[in-house]
Amino acid sequence: MKNQQLSLDLIEAQYNFKNSKNNKNSKSLLIIIGGIELTKKSNAIKKLSELMDPRYLKIKADLPNKIKSNSLIWSPYINDIPKRGEIVTFYGNWYTDLLASTLYENTKKSDYYFKEHLEKINIFENYLKNNNIDIVKVWFDLPWSSIKIRVSDLNLNRAIQRVPNHSWDNFPIEKWKTKDLYNKINFYRKQFTDDWYIIDSQNKKERNLAFANIVLSHLKNTAPPKNASLDYQPAALSPLLTQISKGDIERVQYKKMIKILEHKVAEALRFSSKNVVFAFEGMDAAGKGSSIKRLIKYLYPYEYSIHSISAPENFEKLRPYLWRFWNKHTGNGEINIFDRTWYGRVLVERIECLITEAEWQTAYEEINHYEKQLTETNTIVLKFWLAISKDEQLIRFEKRQKTPQKHFKITDDDWRNRDKWDAYLQAASDMFKYTNTEHAPWHIISNDNKLAARIEILQTILKSLQTEIVCK
């Protein structure tokens, strides 16, 4: 009878949670599973699925992944981050990856390595929490006395299935028959489980009941997250946005220089050992598209990816704002080019009042963390703001309207945005103030001459990659 009532409560809470996805401040629920082997965590998850409607309880079960220096520790899980109204369980997650990589790989990892990755996880999880994802972290525990009993008559070759070849080959099964491995796991897990639920798994019924009640309590908790806002002070307008160069260059000289630079940029990128992210922002008609064309001139299409960013789709709005950018990074020496970027959060979304002041003010720090962690995973982040004068923009708009191959580029929104020119100048200046960092500085290309601007962009790219340029 007790289970029947619990099941009714869970299903009712589950459907209320699911149906709230379009409400303001609706949440998603991410359940992180960890624990000592032999606690039968999977049985607790199975029981929860039986008590709930399993169609709306997603279980992601993965072998531990190797932590790679060129990708974010949570990259393997990005596509499964729950959207609003969704419940997802990660049985195998960034914590199991960290434990496996620390304990079982051939190369011994330092305590600093472990703590460094914990800090990155903490920053990432705080971002999720601030963006309406409720994270429930559950550690299934057993005392050593119970482990010894369970090990004594167990075929460990069959029991320990969810372990990576890269990790466990060097740990003989006998390790589970002594307290050595148990102690090491507990030593590391105690460094991150202060905010976890710890479930004693000696009694399976009590274990299952405790787990189900934890999930139920979070499904019923509808309190919105408390977003910390920035102590925002508007920046002085950047002179690079108001004092635009009219620098000229002869077309003959331009053609000669641009070809040389295009070849050098392609060569530098092709043989770079790093991932490279290009972020292009700027006023409408400032030349982002034509600059990207010169950037990729001598690269093959399979060597890069171009992401033209517009307003988020409905399914993207149900996830944290940065989600649609996270899933475009895979590592492995990739080149990602963004025509408009995550900075839309503090530009158009701010100016059009699509989000609250707290949201766009908080976004500066969130973006800084995002870019810093990219640079810590063997990635160069090159950010360009293309600045032109308002008069020059008008000239380019009118030319686009008269040119058959370009008239599609001009829209009603482009004309409407001109009325908010001053607001964009202020938003851009604030953006430079709060997100111009040592690891990802802004490069402001301030020139009404599009030819000179393209030369400056390619020269800046080469300078940033100069230590890896291979000249032929």
Side-chain angles (χ1 to χ4, degrees):
M1 193 67 175
K2 193 172 183 180
N3 274 354
Q4 287 181 347
Q5 185 59 51
L6 178 59
S7 180
L8 286 173
D9 292 344
L10 277 166
I11 291 172
E12 181 181 9
Q14 181 183 20
Y15 271 78
N16 288 338
F17 192 84
K18 172 181 173 292
N19 294 332
S20 72
K21 68 178 182 180
N22 293 317
N23 298 346
K24 185 179 181 180
N25 293 324
S26 62
K27 299 192 293 186
S28 57
L29 184 62
L30 175 59
I31 304 169
I32 302 287
I33 301 296
I36 297 291
E37 293 297 332
L38 311 177
T39 54
K40 299 189 176 178
K41 304 179 286 292
S42 58
N43 287 0
I45 297 170
K46 182 175 183 296
K47 184 62 179 178
L48 178 68
S49 181
E50 292 172 357
L51 292 170
M52 301 177 72
D53 187 332
R55 294 175 299 172
Y56 307 116
L57 175 62
K58 183 177 179 180
I59 312 294
K60 178 175 172 61
D62 285 340
L63 294 173
N65 298 282
K66 279 188 177 181
I67 295 177
K68 299 177 181 178
S69 62
N70 63 349
S71 62
L72 300 167
I73 189 172
W74 51 85
S75 290
Y77 308 98
I78 288 301
N79 289 332
D80 295 287
I81 294 292
K83 57 181 179 286
R84 294 190 182 199
E86 191 174 44
I87 308 166
V88 175
T89 300
F90 281 177
Y91 183 23
N93 47 73
W94 36 83
Y95 290 100
T96 50
D97 293 350
L98 180 55
L99 281 171
S101 294
T102 302
L103 287 171
Y104 312 129
E105 285 192 351
N106 292 329
T107 306
K108 181 176 174 59
K109 300 296 191 297
S110 66
D111 288 345
Y112 175 78
Y113 170 92
F114 189 81
K115 291 176 181 177
E116 181 185 35
H117 281 85
L118 277 185
E119 183 180 354
K120 294 177 183 179
I121 289 171
N122 184 56
I123 291 170
F124 175 64
E125 289 184 348
N126 282 338
Y127 174 77
L128 296 182
K129 292 173 186 176
N130 289 336
N131 286 269
N132 299 83
I133 295 183
D134 189 7
I135 303 178
V136 182
K137 296 182 280 191
V138 182
W139 184 271
F140 291 86
D141 205 23
L142 275 177
W144 176 245
S145 57
S146 295
I147 292 285
K148 286 197 297 184
I149 294 171
R150 297 188 182 194
V151 164
S152 61
D153 59 353
L154 187 65
N155 182 338
L156 288 175
N157 282 317
R158 296 181 60 189
I160 305 175
Q161 298 172 18
R162 298 193 62 263
V163 293
N165 291 334
H166 80 270
S167 301
W168 290 79
D169 282 349
N170 297 316
F171 263 84
I173 288 174
E174 285 72 21
K175 286 281 186 179
W176 283 101
K177 296 182 180 179
T178 70
K179 206 174 179 181
D180 180 58
L181 181 56
Y182 177 85
N183 285 342
K184 286 182 177 179
I185 292 174
N186 271 314
F187 170 77
Y188 282 107
R189 75 88 175 164
K190 286 178 181 177
Q191 297 182 46
F192 62 78
T193 53
D194 284 349
D195 61 343
W196 289 53
Y197 294 97
I198 310 297
I199 295 180
D200 187 324
S201 301
Q202 294 181 83
N203 182 295
K204 67 179 183 179
K205 289 184 178 180
E206 292 177 1
R207 175 202 63 205
N208 296 346
L209 186 64
F211 181 46
N213 275 304
I214 288 168
V215 174
L216 177 60
S217 68
H218 280 265
L219 286 173
K220 287 183 173 181
N221 180 13
T222 57
K226 296 179 180 179
N227 289 341
S229 61
L230 175 75
D231 182 16
Y232 168 73
Q233 297 294 330
L237 290 185
S238 170
L240 290 173
L241 299 181
T242 57
Q243 301 170 21
I244 309 298
S245 171
K246 306 294 183 181
D248 199 6
I249 184 172
E250 293 183 3
R251 185 164 288 274
V252 173
Q253 183 186 10
Y254 164 77
K255 287 184 177 180
K256 182 178 180 180
M257 290 182 67
I258 199 73
K259 187 171 183 179
I260 293 171
L261 287 168
E262 287 168 345
H263 275 291
K264 286 187 175 182
V265 165
E267 192 171 11
L269 290 170
R270 182 171 294 125
F271 297 107
S272 172
S273 62
K274 293 181 176 290
N275 307 318
V276 185
V277 170
F278 293 97
F280 285 92
E281 288 285 359
M283 293 298 195
D284 294 326
K288 296 179 290 296
S290 60
S291 298
I292 291 170
K293 284 179 68 175
R294 274 69 191 181
L295 168 60
I296 64 171
K297 176 70 173 179
Y298 293 106
L299 290 172
Y300 292 105
Y302 55 79
E303 292 182 292
Y304 60 84
S305 297
I306 299 177
H307 311 285
S308 184
I309 303 301
S310 55
E313 301 290 345
N314 289 334
F315 77 93
E316 293 172 326
K317 292 178 182 178
L318 295 174
R319 290 187 166 92
Y321 176 75
L322 288 174
W323 178 83
R324 66 186 183 130
F325 303 102
W326 291 332
N327 61 16
K328 293 174 174 60
H329 302 289
T330 60
N332 304 320
E334 67 185 3
I335 300 168
N336 276 309
I337 304 167
F338 289 88
D339 180 0
R340 298 213 181 274
T341 69
W342 41 94
Y343 283 100
R345 192 69 161 174
V346 296
L347 293 170
V348 63
E349 292 194 17
R350 165 188 172 174
I351 291 168
E352 297 292 341
C353 298
L354 300 175
I355 55 177
T356 65
E357 284 191 3
E359 285 175 315
W360 64 257
Q361 290 175 14
T362 303
Y364 294 123
E365 185 178 13
E366 293 172 343
I367 288 170
N368 286 340
H369 284 312
Y370 166 54
E371 291 175 349
K372 187 173 190 299
Q373 295 196 342
L374 282 177
T375 61
E376 290 172 344
T377 52
N378 201 41
T379 300
I380 297 172
V381 179
L382 290 171
K383 303 186 301 192
F384 291 94
W385 178 273
L386 277 57
I388 56 173
S389 66
K390 196 172 184 180
D391 289 342
E392 175 65 21
Q393 186 190 61
L394 179 59
I395 293 170
R396 295 185 186 187
F397 275 13
E398 290 175 343
K399 185 175 180 180
R400 283 183 175 185
Q401 284 188 318
K402 297 173 184 176
T403 305
Q405 294 87 350
K406 293 185 177 182
H407 71 88
F408 65 90
K409 288 186 174 184
I410 192 79
T411 67
D412 291 341
D413 283 343
D414 294 328
W415 288 106
R416 188 170 59 85
N417 287 340
R418 278 180 60 80
D419 296 333
K420 300 183 179 182
W421 184 272
D422 291 342
Y424 273 101
L425 292 184
Q426 183 61 60
S429 297
D430 290 345
M431 179 180 72
F432 302 147
K433 174 182 177 180
Y434 290 109
T435 65
N436 185 53
T437 60
E438 184 178 352
H439 54 268
W442 277 101
H443 302 284
I444 304 174
I445 310 300
S446 179
N447 204 318
D448 276 347
N449 186 297
K450 64 176 68 176
L451 305 184
R454 292 170 193 165
I455 294 293
E456 187 178 351
I457 289 169
L458 294 185
Q459 287 174 333
T460 302
I461 293 170
L462 279 178
K463 184 177 179 180
S464 299
L465 299 173
Q466 61 186 349
T467 58
E468 296 188 89
I469 294 175
V470 180
C471 297
K472 291 187 178 179

